[in-house]
Amino acid sequence: QLLERRGSPLPEVYLQVLPSLLEPPLWATKANQPALTRLIKAYISQAGESIVSNQPLFHKILGLIQFLMMSKMTDHHSFAILNAILCHVPPVKFPEFLPVLTSTALERFQKLPPASNGKFLRCLIVFFSLYMAKHGPDMLMDQMEAAQAGLLEQFMTHVWAPKMLDVVHDGTDKK
């Protein structure tokens, strides 16, 4: 919480701690993952440009996102970090990394069971929605079409539109 409330720019000592927070043994314990995710999001929101300019550090974060995305137990953490990047990293940097992450997400999506209503699908829809709301549809459309011709149209008609209510519905019975 201290990091979330701290004003920008972050002191260098904070940025020196970040690489140690990305070490795999810390993320191996499931109980650590929610707090670490929140902390990484706070770092990105406070120092997104500094993090992106440090290529090795940023690549470590991107590797973490890919690692988390490949498991159904941790995929929502990857999207939380990815959404923070969409909001706090300059869009000129997106072509350097978003195609790889979008491809990873689409590969995982294509492996989902046909009747899936899980959190991955909700997270993916929120990610694509945020992507288009913040930066327009062109880059996303190009990436989806590069992955597979006609994928965007299929995704919009068979997934996005029918599942959007599941995304916005909070699941509680309001009587």
Coordinates of all heavy atoms in Angstrom, one line a residue, residues 73-123:
M73 N -4.4 -21.8 -12.7 CA -4.4 -21.4 -11.3 C -3.8 -20.0 -11.2 O -4.1 -19.3 -10.2 CB -3.5 -22.3 -10.5 CG -4.1 -23.8 -10.5 SD -5.7 -23.9 -9.8 CE -5.4 -23.6 -8.1
T74 N -3.0 -19.5 -12.2 CA -2.4 -18.2 -12.0 C -2.6 -17.2 -13.2 O -2.1 -16.1 -13.1 CB -0.8 -18.4 -11.9 OG1 -0.4 -19.1 -13.1 CG2 -0.5 -19.2 -10.7
D75 N -3.4 -17.6 -14.2 CA -3.6 -16.8 -15.3 C -4.2 -15.4 -15.0 O -3.8 -14.4 -15.6 CB -4.4 -17.5 -16.4 CG -5.7 -18.0 -15.9 OD1 -6.2 -17.6 -14.8 OD2 -6.3 -18.9 -16.7
H76 N -5.0 -15.3 -14.0 CA -5.6 -14.1 -13.7 C -4.6 -13.1 -13.1 O -4.7 -11.9 -13.4 CB -6.8 -14.2 -12.7 CG -6.4 -14.9 -11.4 ND1 -6.1 -16.2 -11.3 CD2 -6.3 -14.4 -10.2 CE1 -5.8 -16.5 -10.1 NE2 -5.9 -15.4 -9.3
H77 N -3.6 -13.6 -12.5 CA -2.5 -12.7 -12.1 C -1.7 -12.1 -13.3 O -1.3 -10.9 -13.2 CB -1.5 -13.4 -11.1 CG -2.1 -13.9 -9.9 ND1 -2.7 -13.1 -9.0 CD2 -2.2 -15.2 -9.3 CE1 -3.2 -13.8 -7.9 NE2 -2.8 -15.0 -8.2
S78 N -1.5 -12.9 -14.3 CA -0.8 -12.4 -15.5 C -1.6 -11.3 -16.1 O -1.1 -10.3 -16.5 CB -0.6 -13.5 -16.5 OG -1.8 -14.0 -17.1
F79 N -3.0 -11.4 -16.2 CA -3.8 -10.4 -16.8 C -3.8 -9.1 -16.0 O -3.9 -8.0 -16.5 CB -5.2 -10.9 -17.1 CG -5.3 -11.8 -18.3 CD1 -5.4 -13.1 -18.3 CD2 -5.1 -11.2 -19.6 CE1 -5.5 -13.9 -19.4 CE2 -5.2 -12.0 -20.7 CZ -5.4 -13.3 -20.6
A80 N -3.8 -9.3 -14.7 CA -3.8 -8.1 -13.8 C -2.5 -7.2 -14.1 O -2.6 -6.0 -14.2 CB -3.8 -8.5 -12.3
I81 N -1.4 -7.9 -14.2 CA -0.1 -7.2 -14.5 C -0.1 -6.7 -15.9 O 0.2 -5.5 -16.1 CB 1.1 -8.2 -14.3 CG1 1.2 -8.6 -12.8 CG2 2.4 -7.5 -14.7 CD1 2.2 -9.7 -12.6
L82 N -0.6 -7.4 -16.8 CA -0.7 -7.0 -18.2 C -1.6 -5.8 -18.4 O -1.3 -4.8 -19.1 CB -1.2 -8.2 -19.1 CG -1.1 -8.0 -20.6 CD1 0.3 -7.7 -21.0 CD2 -1.5 -9.4 -21.2
N83 N -2.8 -5.8 -17.7 CA -3.7 -4.6 -17.7 C -3.0 -3.4 -17.1 O -3.2 -2.3 -17.7 CB -5.0 -4.9 -17.0 CG -5.8 -6.0 -17.8 OD1 -5.6 -6.2 -18.9 ND2 -6.8 -6.5 -17.1
A84 N -2.2 -3.6 -16.1 CA -1.5 -2.4 -15.6 C -0.5 -1.9 -16.6 O -0.3 -0.6 -16.7 CB -0.7 -2.8 -14.3
I85 N 0.2 -2.8 -17.3 CA 1.1 -2.3 -18.4 C 0.3 -1.5 -19.5 O 0.8 -0.5 -19.9 CB 1.8 -3.5 -19.0 CG1 2.8 -4.1 -18.0 CG2 2.5 -3.1 -20.3 CD1 3.5 -5.4 -18.4
L86 N -0.8 -2.0 -19.8 CA -1.6 -1.3 -20.9 C -2.0 0.1 -20.4 O -2.0 1.0 -21.2 CB -2.9 -2.1 -21.1 CG -2.9 -3.2 -22.1 CD1 -4.2 -3.9 -22.2 CD2 -2.4 -2.8 -23.5
C87 N -2.2 0.3 -19.1 CA -2.6 1.6 -18.6 C -1.4 2.5 -18.3 O -1.6 3.7 -18.3 CB -3.4 1.4 -17.3 SG -5.0 0.6 -17.6
H88 N -0.2 2.0 -18.0 CA 0.8 2.8 -17.5 C 2.1 2.8 -18.3 O 3.1 3.5 -18.0 CB 1.1 2.5 -16.1 CG 0.0 2.6 -15.2 ND1 -0.5 3.8 -14.8 CD2 -0.8 1.7 -14.6 CE1 -1.6 3.7 -14.0 NE2 -1.8 2.4 -13.9
V89 N 2.2 2.1 -19.4 CA 3.4 2.1 -20.2 C 3.1 2.8 -21.5 O 2.0 2.7 -22.1 CB 3.8 0.6 -20.5 CG1 4.8 0.5 -21.6 CG2 4.3 -0.1 -19.3
P90 N 4.0 3.6 -22.0 CA 3.7 4.4 -23.2 C 3.4 3.5 -24.4 O 4.1 2.5 -24.6 CB 5.1 5.1 -23.5 CG 5.8 5.1 -22.2 CD 5.3 3.9 -21.4
P91 N 2.4 3.8 -25.2 CA 2.0 2.9 -26.3 C 3.0 2.7 -27.4 O 3.0 1.7 -28.0 CB 0.8 3.6 -26.9 CG 0.3 4.6 -25.8 CD 1.4 4.9 -25.0
V92 N 4.0 3.6 -27.5 CA 5.0 3.4 -28.5 C 5.9 2.1 -28.2 O 6.5 1.6 -29.1 CB 6.0 4.6 -28.6 CG1 5.2 5.8 -29.1 CG2 6.7 4.9 -27.3
K93 N 5.8 1.7 -27.0 CA 6.6 0.5 -26.6 C 5.8 -0.8 -26.9 O 6.4 -1.9 -26.9 CB 6.9 0.5 -25.1 CG 7.8 1.6 -24.7 CD 9.2 1.4 -25.3 CE 10.2 2.4 -24.7 NZ 11.5 2.2 -25.2
F94 N 4.5 -0.7 -27.1 CA 3.7 -1.9 -27.3 C 4.2 -2.9 -28.4 O 4.2 -4.1 -28.2 CB 2.2 -1.6 -27.5 CG 1.5 -1.0 -26.3 CD1 0.2 -0.6 -26.4 CD2 2.2 -0.9 -25.1 CE1 -0.4 -0.1 -25.3 CE2 1.6 -0.4 -24.0 CZ 0.3 0.0 -24.1
P95 N 4.5 -2.3 -29.6 CA 5.0 -3.3 -30.7 C 6.1 -4.1 -30.3 O 6.3 -5.2 -30.9 CB 5.3 -2.3 -31.8 CG 4.5 -1.1 -31.6 CD 4.5 -0.9 -30.1
E96 N 6.9 -3.7 -29.3 CA 8.0 -4.5 -28.8 C 7.6 -5.8 -28.1 O 8.4 -6.7 -28.1 CB 9.0 -3.7 -28.0 CG 9.6 -2.5 -28.7 CD 10.4 -1.6 -27.7 OE1 10.8 -2.1 -26.6 OE2 10.5 -0.4 -28.0
F97 N 6.5 -5.8 -27.4 CA 6.2 -6.9 -26.5 C 4.7 -7.4 -26.6 O 4.5 -8.6 -26.4 CB 6.5 -6.5 -25.1 CG 5.6 -5.5 -24.5 CD1 4.4 -5.8 -23.9 CD2 6.0 -4.1 -24.6 CE1 3.6 -4.8 -23.4 CE2 5.2 -3.1 -24.0 CZ 4.0 -3.5 -23.4
L98 N 3.8 -6.6 -27.0 CA 2.4 -7.1 -27.0 C 2.1 -8.2 -28.0 O 1.3 -9.1 -27.7 CB 1.4 -5.9 -27.2 CG 1.0 -5.2 -25.9 CD1 0.0 -4.1 -26.2 CD2 0.4 -6.2 -24.9
P99 N 2.7 -8.2 -29.2 CA 2.5 -9.3 -30.1 C 2.8 -10.7 -29.5 O 2.0 -11.6 -29.6 CB 3.4 -9.1 -31.3 CG 3.5 -7.6 -31.3 CD 3.6 -7.2 -29.9
V100 N 3.9 -10.8 -28.7 CA 4.2 -12.0 -28.1 C 3.2 -12.4 -27.0 O 2.8 -13.6 -26.9 CB 5.7 -12.0 -27.5 CG1 6.0 -13.2 -26.7 CG2 6.7 -11.8 -28.6
L101 N 2.8 -11.4 -26.2 CA 1.9 -11.7 -25.1 C 0.5 -12.0 -25.7 O -0.2 -12.9 -25.1 CB 1.9 -10.6 -24.1 CG 3.2 -10.3 -23.4 CD1 3.0 -9.1 -22.5 CD2 3.6 -11.6 -22.6
T102 N 0.1 -11.3 -26.7 CA -1.2 -11.6 -27.3 C -1.2 -13.0 -27.9 O -2.2 -13.7 -27.8 CB -1.5 -10.5 -28.4 OG1 -1.5 -9.2 -27.7 CG2 -2.9 -10.7 -29.0
S103 N -0.1 -13.3 -28.6 CA 0.0 -14.7 -29.1 C -0.1 -15.8 -28.0 O -0.8 -16.8 -28.2 CB 1.3 -14.9 -29.9 OG 1.3 -14.0 -31.0
T104 N 0.6 -15.5 -26.9 CA 0.5 -16.5 -25.8 C -0.9 -16.6 -25.3 O -1.4 -17.7 -25.1 CB 1.4 -16.0 -24.7 OG1 2.8 -15.9 -25.2 CG2 1.4 -17.0 -23.5
A105 N -1.6 -15.5 -25.2 CA -3.0 -15.5 -24.7 C -3.9 -16.2 -25.7 O -4.8 -17.0 -25.3 CB -3.5 -14.1 -24.5
L106 N -3.7 -16.0 -27.0 CA -4.5 -16.6 -28.0 C -4.2 -18.1 -28.1 O -5.2 -18.9 -28.3 CB -4.3 -16.0 -29.4 CG -4.8 -14.5 -29.5 CD1 -4.4 -13.9 -30.8 CD2 -6.4 -14.5 -29.4
E107 N -3.0 -18.5 -27.9 CA -2.7 -20.0 -27.9 C -3.4 -20.6 -26.7 O -4.0 -21.7 -26.9 CB -1.2 -20.2 -27.7 CG -0.4 -19.9 -29.0 CD 1.1 -20.0 -28.7 OE1 1.6 -20.6 -27.7 OE2 1.9 -19.3 -29.5
R108 N -3.4 -20.0 -25.6 CA -4.1 -20.5 -24.4 C -5.6 -20.6 -24.6 O -6.2 -21.5 -24.3 CB -3.7 -19.7 -23.2 CG -4.4 -20.1 -21.9 CD -3.7 -21.2 -21.2 NE -4.6 -21.8 -20.2 CZ -5.0 -21.2 -19.1 NH1 -4.5 -20.1 -18.7 NH2 -5.8 -21.8 -18.3
F109 N -6.1 -19.5 -25.2 CA -7.5 -19.4 -25.5 C -7.9 -20.6 -26.5 O -9.0 -21.2 -26.2 CB -7.9 -18.1 -26.2 CG -9.2 -18.1 -26.8 CD1 -10.4 -18.1 -26.1 CD2 -9.3 -18.0 -28.2 CE1 -11.6 -18.1 -26.7 CE2 -10.6 -18.0 -28.8 CZ -11.7 -18.0 -28.1
Q110 N -7.1 -20.9 -27.5 CA -7.5 -21.9 -28.4 C -7.5 -23.3 -27.8 O -8.1 -24.2 -28.3 CB -6.6 -21.8 -29.7 CG -6.9 -20.6 -30.5 CD -5.9 -20.3 -31.6 OE1 -4.7 -20.7 -31.5 NE2 -6.3 -19.7 -32.7
K111 N -6.8 -23.5 -26.7 CA -6.7 -24.8 -26.0 C -7.9 -24.9 -25.0 O -8.0 -26.0 -24.4 CB -5.4 -24.9 -25.3 CG -4.2 -25.0 -26.3 CD -2.9 -25.1 -25.5 CE -1.8 -25.1 -26.5 NZ -0.5 -25.1 -25.9
L112 N -8.7 -23.9 -24.8 CA -9.8 -24.0 -23.8 C -10.9 -24.9 -24.3 O -11.1 -25.0 -25.5 CB -10.4 -22.6 -23.6 CG -9.6 -21.5 -22.8 CD1 -10.4 -20.2 -22.8 CD2 -9.3 -22.0 -21.4
P113 N -11.6 -25.6 -23.4 CA -12.7 -26.4 -23.8 C -13.8 -25.5 -24.4 O -13.9 -24.3 -24.1 CB -13.2 -27.0 -22.5 CG -12.2 -26.8 -21.5 CD -11.3 -25.7 -22.0
P114 N -14.5 -26.0 -25.4 CA -15.5 -25.2 -26.1 C -16.5 -24.5 -25.2 O -17.0 -23.4 -25.5 CB -16.2 -26.2 -27.0 CG -15.3 -27.3 -27.2 CD -14.5 -27.4 -25.9
A115 N -16.9 -25.1 -24.1 CA -18.0 -24.6 -23.2 C -17.4 -23.8 -22.1 O -18.0 -23.5 -21.1 CB -18.9 -25.7 -22.7
S116 N -16.1 -23.4 -22.2 CA -15.5 -22.7 -21.1 C -16.1 -21.4 -20.7 O -16.4 -20.5 -21.6 CB -14.0 -22.5 -21.4 OG -13.4 -21.8 -20.4
N117 N -16.3 -21.2 -19.5 CA -16.8 -19.9 -18.9 C -15.9 -19.4 -17.8 O -16.3 -18.6 -17.0 CB -18.2 -20.0 -18.4 CG -19.3 -20.1 -19.4 OD1 -19.2 -19.5 -20.5 ND2 -20.3 -20.9 -19.2
G118 N -14.7 -19.9 -17.8 CA -13.8 -19.7 -16.7 C -13.2 -18.3 -16.7 O -13.4 -17.4 -17.5
K119 N -12.4 -18.1 -15.6 CA -11.8 -16.8 -15.4 C -10.8 -16.4 -16.5 O -10.7 -15.2 -16.8 CB -11.2 -16.7 -14.0 CG -10.0 -17.6 -13.8 CD -9.4 -17.4 -12.4 CE -8.5 -18.4 -11.9 NZ -7.7 -19.2 -12.6
F120 N -10.2 -17.4 -17.1 CA -9.3 -17.0 -18.2 C -10.0 -16.3 -19.3 O -9.6 -15.2 -19.8 CB -8.6 -18.2 -18.8 CG -7.7 -17.9 -19.9 CD1 -6.4 -17.4 -19.7 CD2 -8.1 -17.9 -21.3 CE1 -5.5 -17.0 -20.8 CE2 -7.3 -17.6 -22.3 CZ -6.0 -17.1 -22.1
L121 N -11.2 -16.8 -19.7 CA -12.0 -16.2 -20.7 C -12.4 -14.8 -20.3 O -12.4 -13.8 -21.1 CB -13.2 -17.1 -21.1 CG -13.9 -16.8 -22.3 CD1 -13.0 -16.7 -23.5 CD2 -15.0 -17.8 -22.5
R122 N -12.9 -14.6 -19.1 CA -13.3 -13.3 -18.6 C -12.1 -12.4 -18.6 O -12.2 -11.2 -19.0 CB -13.9 -13.4 -17.2 CG -15.3 -14.0 -17.2 CD -15.9 -13.9 -15.8 NE -15.3 -14.5 -14.7 CZ -15.4 -15.8 -14.4 NH1 -16.1 -16.6 -15.2 NH2 -14.7 -16.3 -13.4
C123 N -10.9 -12.8 -18.1 CA -9.7 -12.0 -18.1 C -9.3 -11.6 -19.5 O -8.9 -10.4 -19.8 CB -8.6 -12.7 -17.4 SG -8.8 -12.9 -15.6

